[in-house]
Amino acid sequence: MDDLGRCKGLLRIWRVRIRGSLRSTGKVAAGTFLGAKSSVIARCWRLLAPLALLPTMVIPASPQTSTGGLHGQILDPTGAVITNATVTAEDRGGRKIEITSDQTGTYSFKGLPPGPYTVKVSAPSFANFTRKVTITADGDEKLDVSLHVATQHKEISVDSGEQEPNASDPGANVNSFIIKGKDLDALSDDPDELEAQLQALAGATAGPNGGQIYIDGFTGGKLPPKSAIKQIRINQNPFSAEFDKLGYGRIDIQTKPGGTKIHGRVLVDGSHSSFNARNPFVPQKPEYYTVLSAAMIEGPIGKKGAFSLVGEQRNINNSAAVNVVVLDASLNPVPFSQALPDPRKLTMLTPRLDFQLSPNNALFGRYQWYNSGENGAGTGQLSLGSLALNLHKTEHDLQLSDTQTLGPALVNEIRFEYRHGTTSQVPLDSSPQISVLGAFVGGGNSLGNVSTRQNYFEVHDNFSNARGAHFLRFGVRTRVRGETDQSTQNFSGTFTFSSLSAFQTTQRGLQEGQAAAQIRAAGGGASLFSIVAGEPVISDVSVDVGVYAQDDWRLRSNMTLSYGLRYETQNEIHDHADFAPRLGFAWGLGKKGSTPNTVLRAGFGLFYDRFGQNLLLNSRRLDGVHTRQFVVQSPDFFPAVPAISALSSSQVPVVYQIDPHSTSPYTMQTAVTLERKLAHNSTLAVTYLNSRGVNQLLSRNINTPLPGTFDPQNPDSGMRPLGNVGNVYQYESQGVFRQNQLTTNFSIRARSWLSLNGYYVFSHANSDTSGASSFPFNEYDVTLDYGRAAYDVHHRLAMFTSLDLPHGYILIPFVMATSGRPYDITVGRDLNGDSIFNDRPAFATDLSRPSVALTKLGAFDTSPIPGQKIIPANFADGPGLFNVNLRVTKAFAIGGHSESEAGNTGAQKPNASSNPFGGVWKPQYTLRFDVVVSNLFNHVNVGTPIGNLNSPLFGVANLLSPALGTLTNANRRINLQLQFLF
């Protein structure tokens, strides 16, 4: 046998040994060559040496591999996915691998040898895209592509390591968050906690309303289960005319489309009180547990369709902490703490269908059914167990979207949503409510029986058209809300006591058989009694329409001017013409002809808020005709409730109305951003944001006694401008706010195994209103309330990272911190006769006065006299908050098969033996374990302290803060989670 024949024989032996999972990883066993001549061995060694490294490439002994990957998603200019797009990866030797994007628009290459590649993307009716990327060993590069509608510029070319030429596009702002994949894992699986965390991450919101959540382009609705979410975008394209709300703080959630193959997951997540740290506001830790169960399956429907189905159920056996001061059997004040059961059960089912009807027409439909029940709501903090409510809510939500490419430069998207919901509420105690300001709230729950039926329609029609250097967008949105509301709120009446001492004196007087005059002379008696009577059913239909046009004009390759106009209108208020101009500018800085790594952005826009339907319903219900609300100052009949006929003959009903001159509130927002692309795909953005709110909503009693004419000791005193017609509460648009924010956003992708995203915000805000239901301190001078806004939180920090550890562990910390939120200091009494208990004290000038209260925050006079300075609104600072959540993940692959390198979406598996010559192993099943720790360091984050100077709890916080998206039954919570993926 010649040398070549001997080598062939040895090669066959070598291949058999490889297929038998030979453990040797590079050295040929000596026995293999026994009997061979040394010269032949040497020649065979030279022939076989390259193969000696093959086991280390295919069957690695460690998690390291010598190949890399590339993945991403193909989108059109509207953000819709592009299916069947051709994606080609070509190495420097001219070898090509070609795949197509699936039903979700995603593509993935695996097993690519390290080195430079040219990636090309093409799809019918869209301009081609070309970019150079470098694949590294054990790396998985990410390249999302947004294809432009085809114009005379057929191809976009980008050099490796540089920013795309569309870095100046308005939607490419790097101070936005895009959360998906492992970053999405950092967030809570509980939709309620997830929503609170997203609001915290939105950060740079303006005004009292915070950010708005969009789900697949629609406003409002319940958050879908996290397993149904594909990605979340925050603060993207902030000055687009397409959106009615402020861009900074906008949260856009996109759900997952169906898959091209059958995949699914089953998840169980649970926590028990034995794992968790005790709530410091309850004397003993009650037993409770939470269980979240979820399942998802997705797959194809024929050749042109796909489906996904997600179901979720949450059993939350929670508890509410009560921390109050009450009277014992001897009528002495004593502190009282209690954990009250508050069980909830929530079920959600979300199917979705996607169809590629033709190469130019994609259709998707999503339906969501939501059902929740809660027994024991309405308790906690100052509310005793007698205020418990039973709640039930059901919601059906149907969404349809049809995207059509009408021509080489025109895309039309039509979206439709119908939402139907019912809500019922039943109090366990229907007796009159007793509110002792700053001490406790007892008796029955004044919210009463409520039954609500809502129907909601939302229709969008959006066009996008590319014409040369212009990218035009225009469209219309219509929303219709119909609601029928049956409510017996406050039909049983409410007694309000200004202090615990007044309630104590009243109870002692009643026990001793004293007359009402004697009780009041001793300092007792209720300060106020209110009750509602009449027809409990009210209906309303609210309609608003928005029309917009937007042009992104590419002045140069590195410079884009965006300008647009939005027109909005709604029924039921006289303001029917709201024009909202938008302007944005982006300039890529750098040498001419080069791709910019630094971008300067600036923008300005007007953003309107719609007049809320809840205000319309309330003004119709309490109009003095449908129902009548009676308010009695210093009532002398406690605890008896007088007949409505008796009150009708002696009292004038309270009326709620809308100011006929009210206009829609709006915000003028200006922003300047400097963005910089750093090494390793990292970015940094610094933004200055100025927001100015005009025509902000507030409530005002326009029949308050004229200043200086009301004596708090005589409730019948005072000259009223409208005469003896009672209180007239009016919704008005007189408020303003001013806010300045400096935001730093950062995203770091140092390695394939390490990512870090976060932001820091410094903010300062002043306002004279806290919302439509807030009343001014002085009904005749709203400007006296201008000062620190209730949402004036100076410092905010949010940061989350994903760290791949050895042995397949993934560590995901999520850090949130804020400085204290301001709060008001009040005297707990009505000093001006407007029946609102929001009067503030003055800075004390004479410490000998009996009305002076000495506190750690200063000396305050609770009965101000002329010449004394009233303290500013939101004078006190609440405590800061700090929270670290930690998720630890470990996945185990079970079974599997190999796929070719081109087009598979699997992951390399260590020690796989199948198809050792170039295949990539794909697991058939995956078992994943997660441990989630909320508030890792057990830091006590308390809520806002009580600001009533008459309260025995003044300056004390009596609950855990829910501001950072955590449940308030435990200070530190540990959840164990198990997922099975197939």
Side-chain angles (χ1 to χ4, degrees):
M1 183 180 295
D2 58 13
D3 291 345
L4 181 59
R6 292 176 183 274
C7 289
K8 289 181 178 179
L10 294 175
L11 178 60
R12 284 194 293 271
I13 296 173
W14 181 266
R15 294 178 63 184
V16 170
R17 298 295 295 274
I18 291 175
R19 291 173 179 173
S21 300
L22 181 64
R23 293 184 179 181
S24 174
T25 59
K27 295 182 179 179
V28 180
T32 305
F33 298 102
L34 290 177
K37 294 181 179 180
S38 60
S39 60
V40 175
I41 293 175
R43 293 175 187 175
C44 289
W45 181 254
R46 286 194 296 269
L47 291 172
L48 299 176
L51 295 178
L53 297 176
L54 184 60
T56 65
M57 297 170 59
V58 181
I59 317 174
S62 69
Q64 299 297 321
T65 67
S66 59
T67 60
L70 175 69
H71 70 282
Q73 187 179 41
I74 315 299
L75 304 172
D76 68 12
T78 68
V81 300
I82 300 177
T83 61
N84 297 319
T86 300
V87 186
T88 304
E90 180 180 350
D91 65 13
R92 58 186 170 188
R95 292 181 290 271
K96 298 181 180 179
I97 301 176
E98 184 177 289
I99 60 177
T100 58
S101 59
D102 61 18
Q103 294 292 334
T104 69
T106 58
Y107 70 93
S108 179
F109 296 96
K110 293 291 183 182
L112 297 176
Y117 286 80
T118 299
V119 179
K120 296 183 179 181
V121 182
S122 62
S125 303
F126 293 93
N128 294 337
F129 176 93
T130 300
R131 184 179 180 184
K132 293 180 180 180
V133 299
T134 299
I135 302 300
T136 59
D138 196 34
D140 190 10
E141 300 296 323
K142 181 175 180 296
L143 176 61
D144 290 334
V145 178
S146 179
L147 295 182
H148 292 271
V149 178
T151 65
Q152 66 266 28
H153 304 292
K154 293 296 183 182
E155 187 167 311
I156 300 173
S157 179
V158 182
D159 292 332
S160 177
E162 295 180 336
Q163 208 169 7
E164 296 90 332
N166 64 352
S168 62
D169 283 354
N173 55 305
V174 301
N175 59 352
S176 65
F177 277 98
I178 300 179
I179 306 173
K180 58 183 176 180
K182 289 188 292 186
D183 292 340
L184 188 59
D185 284 341
L187 304 179
S188 174
D189 292 277
D190 185 289
D192 295 331
E193 293 183 44
L194 174 62
E195 181 174 352
Q197 289 176 340
L198 291 177
Q199 293 287 2
L201 281 173
T205 58
N209 299 321
Q212 184 172 18
I213 294 179
Y214 292 78
I215 302 174
D216 288 326
F218 298 96
T219 56
K222 290 290 181 183
L223 255 65
K226 189 174 132 181
S227 55
I229 296 176
K230 172 188 162 186
Q231 68 177 15
I232 302 171
R233 297 173 179 263
I234 299 176
N235 301 339
Q236 189 175 48
N237 197 1
F239 293 103
S240 171
E242 180 180 353
F243 302 98
D244 59 338
K245 292 292 186 179
L246 296 164
Y248 291 100
R250 186 174 65 242
I251 301 167
D252 186 6
I253 296 175
Q254 297 178 9
T255 60
K256 293 178 181 177
T260 57
K261 297 182 179 181
I262 294 292
H263 293 291
R265 72 171 63 193
V266 178
L267 177 149
V268 178
D269 181 292
S271 178
H272 191 272
S273 55
S274 59
F275 300 157
N276 305 332
R278 181 178 63 87
N279 183 339
F281 293 103
V282 295
Q284 293 182 344
K285 181 167 62 175
E287 184 172 343
Y288 59 87
Y289 67 90
T290 62
V291 177
L292 184 151
S293 305
M296 183 273 290
I297 187 169
E298 63 178 15
I301 303 177
K303 294 183 178 179
K304 295 186 177 181
F307 77 93
S308 68
L309 176 63
V310 181
E312 179 178 277
Q313 186 174 87
R314 287 177 285 160
N315 287 296
I316 306 173
N317 285 272
N318 203 354
S319 61
V322 174
N323 281 274
V324 297
V325 178
V326 296
L327 301 179
D328 63 12
S330 301
L331 300 182
N332 295 315
V334 293
F336 176 73
S337 299
Q338 185 182 20
L340 296 171
D342 182 18
R344 289 188 293 162
K345 186 175 183 179
L346 305 98
T347 306
M348 190 178 294
L349 186 66
T350 306
R352 170 172 169 154
L353 300 176
D354 293 82
F355 293 98
Q356 190 71 37
L357 302 179
S358 71
N360 297 327
N361 189 4
L363 174 70
F364 98 79
R366 188 175 76 93
Y367 166 76
Q368 182 167 285
W369 174 73
Y370 173 85
N371 183 75
S372 69
E374 180 175 6
N375 296 328
T379 64
Q381 195 175 7
L382 294 178
S383 299
L384 299 176
S386 61
L387 271 72
L389 298 164
N390 288 343
L391 302 177
H392 183 265
K393 182 172 184 178
T394 301
E395 184 174 280
H396 304 268
D397 193 352
L398 174 65
Q399 297 178 349
L400 301 172
S401 178
D402 183 32
T403 303
Q404 301 183 48
T405 304
L406 303 178
L410 182 62
V411 176
N412 176 227
E413 182 182 19
I414 300 175
R415 298 196 296 260
F416 169 80
E417 179 182 35
Y418 169 65
R419 192 162 66 237
H420 172 75
T422 59
T423 303
S424 65
Q425 170 184 289
V426 179
L428 301 185
D429 188 338
S430 58
S431 62
Q433 180 170 298
I434 300 173
S435 176
V436 181
L437 299 181
F440 70 88
V441 182
N445 197 314
S446 65
L447 294 177
N449 290 277
V450 175
S451 177
T452 300
R453 182 179 298 272
Q454 296 176 324
N455 290 289
Y456 176 85
F457 298 88
E458 184 172 336
V459 181
H460 298 244
D461 194 359
N462 299 311
F463 290 85
S464 60
N465 188 16
R467 290 182 174 272
H470 298 268
F471 186 75
L472 305 172
R473 284 173 293 172
F474 48 95
V476 60
R477 182 196 70 185
T478 301
R479 296 184 297 191
V480 180
R481 301 178 184 85
E483 180 171 334
T484 299
D485 189 1
Q486 178 173 329
S487 173
T488 60
Q489 182 172 349
N490 207 25
F491 272 43
S492 297
T494 299
F495 290 95
T496 301
F497 291 83
S498 63
S499 66
L500 184 62
S501 62
F503 181 70
Q504 179 188 37
T505 302
T506 304
Q507 293 291 76
R508 282 181 176 170
L510 292 173
Q511 194 177 70
E512 296 171 1
Q514 297 179 4
Q518 292 176 295
I519 294 174
R520 194 161 297 279
S527 297
L528 196 75
F529 173 76
S530 63
I531 194 170
V532 175
E535 173 56 50
V537 180
I538 197 72
S539 298
D540 179 74
V541 176
S542 176
V543 181
D544 71 86
V545 179
V547 182
Y548 77 93
Q550 174 93 18
D551 179 21
D552 298 332
W553 180 12
R554 183 67 57 81
L555 299 174
R556 298 178 183 175
S557 62
N558 64 338
M559 188 178 296
T560 301
L561 176 66
S562 301
Y563 54 96
L565 181 65
R566 185 177 183 88
Y567 168 82
E568 296 181 6
T569 186
Q570 74 173 101
N571 65 335
E572 298 186 304
I573 62 173
H574 87 285
D575 183 12
H576 297 304
D578 298 327
F579 290 93
R582 311 285 169 81
L583 181 65
F585 180 76
W587 179 20
L589 306 178
K591 295 181 180 180
K592 186 177 181 181
S594 65
T595 303
N597 285 329
T598 303
V599 179
L600 177 65
R601 300 182 188 273
F604 171 82
L606 261 65
F607 299 86
Y608 283 89
D609 290 315
R610 295 296 99 209
F611 198 88
Q613 188 178 35
N614 60 320
L615 307 180
L616 297 166
L617 286 167
N618 202 46
S619 63
R620 288 188 176 182
R621 176 181 291 110
L622 297 174
D623 59 359
V625 178
H626 289 88
T627 59
R628 295 171 295 166
Q629 179 178 4
F630 298 97
V631 173
V632 182
Q633 297 272 2
S634 301
D636 58 4
F637 41 76
F638 177 82
V641 176
I644 295 299
S645 57
L647 291 175
S648 299
S649 61
S650 61
Q651 300 289 327
V652 178
V654 172
V655 173
Y656 277 80
Q657 65 184 34
I658 298 174
D659 182 5
H661 303 292
S662 283
T663 57
S664 301
Y666 65 90
T667 300
M668 296 180 288
Q669 190 167 82
T670 305
V672 179
T673 300
L674 186 64
E675 302 174 354
R676 176 69 180 178
K677 183 176 181 181
L678 308 174
H680 303 295
N681 295 320
S682 300
T683 59
L684 177 69
V686 179
T687 302
Y688 167 71
L689 189 63
N690 175 269
S691 305
R692 180 182 177 187
V694 181
N695 297 338
Q696 300 298 298
L697 298 177
L698 54 85
S699 295
R700 194 166 67 89
N701 185 350
I702 62 174
N703 201 31
T704 298
L706 295 173
T709 65
F710 179 76
D711 180 5
Q713 304 301 322
N714 182 8
D716 296 326
S717 63
M719 295 180 56
R720 298 179 179 265
L722 302 181
N724 190 25
V725 297
N727 294 318
V728 179
Y729 297 144
Q730 184 167 271
Y731 297 119
E732 300 180 348
S733 54
Q734 293 189 31
V736 297
F737 77 82
R738 306 286 187 271
Q739 189 171 19
N740 289 281
Q741 299 177 85
L742 186 64
T743 303
T744 300
N745 295 79
F746 51 89
S747 177
I748 300 174
R749 307 286 178 182
R751 295 288 187 272
S752 61
W753 47 269
L754 174 63
S755 65
L756 176 65
N757 296 277
Y759 75 86
Y760 164 75
V761 180
F762 172 77
S763 175
H764 181 65
N766 287 331
S767 178
D768 56 14
T769 174
S770 296
S773 298
S774 66
F775 286 80
F777 156 75
N778 186 327
E779 304 285 359
Y780 291 98
D781 192 351
V782 176
T783 63
L784 293 179
D785 279 336
Y786 187 79
R788 288 191 65 187
Y791 46 87
D792 181 32
V793 177
H794 288 325
H795 305 280
R796 296 178 186 268
L797 172 69
M799 183 170 57
F800 60 94
T801 183
S802 177
L803 178 64
D804 293 351
L805 301 178
H807 307 295
Y809 288 94
I810 301 176
L811 200 66
I812 308 175
F814 185 10
V815 180
M816 292 182 291
T818 70
S819 57
R821 181 180 294 270
Y823 64 97
D824 247 341
I825 296 178
T826 62
V827 301
R829 295 183 295 134
D830 177 15
L831 301 179
N832 59 2
D834 62 357
S835 302
I836 307 298
F837 291 81
N838 65 346
D839 300 83
R840 300 194 299 272
F843 291 110
T845 56
D846 183 359
L847 299 182
S848 64
R849 296 193 70 203
S851 57
V852 171
L854 299 176
T855 74
K856 60 182 180 180
L857 299 177
F860 306 109
D861 198 326
T862 59
S863 296
I865 58 177
Q868 286 184 312
K869 182 181 179 181
I870 304 298
I871 70 170
N874 295 307
F875 177 76
D877 281 308
L881 307 176
F882 175 73
N883 192 35
V884 177
N885 295 341
L886 179 66
R887 180 186 291 260
V888 182
T889 297
K890 171 67 175 177
F892 298 89
I894 306 173
H897 60 278
S898 64
E899 296 182 345
S900 63
E901 291 180 358
N904 78 81
T905 58
Q908 295 284 85
K909 184 199 177 194
N911 302 322
S913 59
S914 62
N915 193 16
F917 293 99
V920 176
W921 188 89
K922 185 172 184 179
Q924 185 175 5
Y925 306 107
T926 300
L927 197 61
R928 173 175 153 176
F929 296 90
D930 288 58
V931 178
V932 184
V933 184
S934 300
N935 194 11
L936 175 66
F937 299 112
N938 203 26
H939 179 75
V940 179
N941 292 301
V942 300
T944 303
I946 294 173
N948 184 351
L949 286 168
N950 263 338
S951 170
L953 298 173
F954 171 75
V956 175
N958 65 340
L959 81 164
L960 290 174
S961 173
L964 298 181
T966 57
L967 293 177
T968 57
N969 59 340
N971 199 53
R972 178 177 59 208
R973 189 174 77 250
I974 298 177
N975 282 60
L976 303 180
Q977 187 178 106
L978 174 65
Q979 291 191 61
F980 177 71
L981 298 92
F982 60 91

